[in-house]
Amino acid sequence: MIRNQASLECRHISLSYGSTPVLRDVNLKIEPGEFFALLGPSGSGKSTLLRLIAGFNQHQSGELLIDGQDISGVPPHRRNVGMVFQNYALWPHMTIWDNVAFGLVERRESRDTIRRKVGAALELVGLQDYARRRPGQLSGGQQQRVALARTIVIEPKLLLLDEPLSNLDKKLRVQMREELKNLQRTLGLTTIFVTHDQEEAMTTADRMAVLDGGVLQQVGTAAGLYDYPQNRFVAGFVGTANVLEGEVLAGGGEMLAFDARGLGRLVLPRPVDEAPAPGAAALAFRPHQVHIAVRDEQGDALRVWIDGQVESAEFLGEFARYRVRVGELALVADQPHYAGIAMFVPGAPVRLGIDPTQLRYLAR
Ligand code: ADP
């Protein structure tokens, strides 16, 4: 198997198109063998960063290092980086075999080497029986695998994938997610992929970087970002979040007072690990961490209870999702569903019980 594990590091990378900054002071370290996602909404700079690593874009400042060596001025074909494009970019008139062999022929490898490597690459992606076909005769998922085989056959140090699953239908996308992950593990190749789909990033990547407006917001594992988002953008982009804006009030002791805008004062246990400073802040918590109960139910004393009124209800099978009006705010609460549980109807007076251990303070 190919064991080309390289590290990649971006140091203070900035890139502008004309006077428009697209990447702003990006600092990032990707470890050898990692399966790493660049996650962000459309226009956040993900593709620009990926193309920059491939060598198709040039940054104006900062350093780009592979295995500790600055490759900033090195042209794409000398970087030993393989990139799979979103549309696969296969040659329609060539057979699958010739498509995969292309890079090796260009490198003037011997016929024996080409035969051996192309055979191995096709086998790796399970397409050894399709070598004589042309791309048009294959399904979207198979074309994707040809594109992968064609890239890994040249044994790159880094594998870059631009929205690798976006051209596939929903069902195939979920299946290919698993395949891609297995293939990456087998190869052990440092792999960076771009996606706007948080579920795709969370289920596939070892770690990910969240980008917004060309600024790297946070780097971490799926659970790390979900459980400990650092700001409002990450809280809302990685999963669904309720966010209360407000102010942490000064005062000592074990309890902390948070003046929530539109809701009033909440008295909460002071978090031990990340005690927030007095001043403007936000509190984030997840819909499934909110307990929804009928108004007159005596809730458990460990939760903070707020009165509200159901605004809308959605039945999603595994759970029901409620939007609940609390003063000026609308909060989202999920309730796990079992047969026989009656759903709350719009207009129903309810109480929301928030688990204070699950609250995250977001600084401004
Ligand atoms: P993403 O991949 O996250 O959707 P991109 O990296 O494609 O975002 O684009 C980031 C920003 O840079 C966008 O605002 C886009 O319009 C702009 N941009 C991308 N390519 C060019 C270009 N060649 N010239 C000018 N602006 C560009």
Side-chain angles (χ1 to χ4, degrees), residues 17 22 41-48:
Y17 287 118
V22 172
S42 172
S44 58
K46 311 178 293 290
S47 301
T48 302

Side-chain angles (χ1 to χ4, degrees), residues 30 46 91 124 213 255 298 314 318 334:
I30 297 171
K46 311 178 293 290
W91 305 106
L124 195 66
M255 301 305 275
Q298 180 68 35
E314 276 182 332
E318 292 94 330
D334 291 346

Side-chain angles (χ1 to χ4, degrees), residues 247-250 255-259 265-268 270:
E247 194 183 345
V248 174
L249 303 178
M255 301 305 275
L256 168 153
F258 182 78
D259 194 8
R265 184 171 302 196
L266 302 174
V267 177
L268 306 162
R270 186 180 295 278

Side-chain angles (χ1 to χ4, degrees), residues 1 51 89 97 108 114 133 166 184 205 242 244 272 360:
M1 251 344 87
R51 293 174 57 83
W97 180 279
R108 301 182 197 285
I114 293 175
R133 297 212 195 171
S166 65
Q184 197 274 342
N242 288 300
L244 302 178
V272 279
R360 298 292 167 244

